[in-house]
Amino acid sequence: MAIRGVIFDMDGTITAPYFDFAKIKTEAGIGDVDMLEYLRSATGVEYERIHSVLTRFEEAGVADAKLNRGARTLLSFLARHKIQTALLTRNSRKSVDGVCRRLKLDFDITISREDGPHKPAPEPIWQIAKRWGLKRREVLMVGDYKWDVLCAKNAGIPCALLLNGDAPPDWAKHAKHHIRRLTDLIEIIK
């Protein structure tokens, strides 16, 4: 069955990578743990401290955001072929809106971390497919990190992993496609 909807990750996929997660975690002093899981379990002053660090990095990311190579070409192709698009990110709504405004991006659906369970939970993908009225096999997830790949795997949809010049890591085996640039998706979707 043909792909009729494409879900994109934001940082490192639609945009050129701009977050240094190791630096964020070091500044937050949380070690090598999932930042959003840590934030979810934090309370009071600790929550405010971690949230402040993350917000500062997200605001800087909006100011520095640039489209990833081939993003505009791919999005134009999808629009011409009436293929729906969504943005699914672990970033905040404020960050998503700022990046989309700055880069003049328009998606049919955008889901941020405030909208419910976040990647790698499958629910955001199921919600998007339902809103589009599509079967899972008609939807493709595109991302650059393990949360994207695992989210797609958990939701039962194919995933294209954007390598951004890196060698495929171990978890890449769960992605149906490995791509070097976003425009590689055009041939996959045709």
Side-chain angles (χ1 to χ4, degrees), residues 1-7 82-85 108-109 125-140 157:
M1 184 165 277
I3 297 297
R4 297 177 49 210
V6 179
I7 302 170
K82 301 192 181 344
I83 296 172
Q84 298 179 82
T85 59
D108 299 304
I109 299 170
I125 289 177
W126 295 341
Q127 176 188 5
I128 292 167
K130 183 177 181 180
R131 286 175 61 185
W132 283 340
L134 299 179
K135 294 177 174 60
R136 292 181 198 169
R137 66 181 177 266
E138 297 174 302
V139 178
L140 176 68
I157 71 164

Side-chain angles (χ1 to χ4, degrees), residues 94-169:
K94 183 177 178 183
S95 172
V96 169
D97 291 346
V99 167
C100 288
R101 192 171 36 258
R102 175 175 165 76
L103 301 178
K104 297 176 177 48
L105 296 170
D106 185 31
F107 294 92
D108 299 304
I109 299 170
T110 58
I111 295 183
S112 67
R113 69 172 171 257
E114 295 93 347
D115 295 325
H118 55 77
K119 297 181 286 185
E123 290 87 352
I125 289 177
W126 295 341
Q127 176 188 5
I128 292 167
K130 183 177 181 180
R131 286 175 61 185
W132 283 340
L134 299 179
K135 294 177 174 60
R136 292 181 198 169
R137 66 181 177 266
E138 297 174 302
V139 178
L140 176 68
M141 176 73 199
V142 183
D144 70 315
Y145 192 62
K146 68 181 174 183
W147 301 137
D148 308 311
V149 174
L150 292 175
C151 185
K153 180 179 183 270
N154 294 340
I157 71 164
C159 182
L161 174 63
L162 178 60
L163 296 171
N164 280 323
D166 298 327

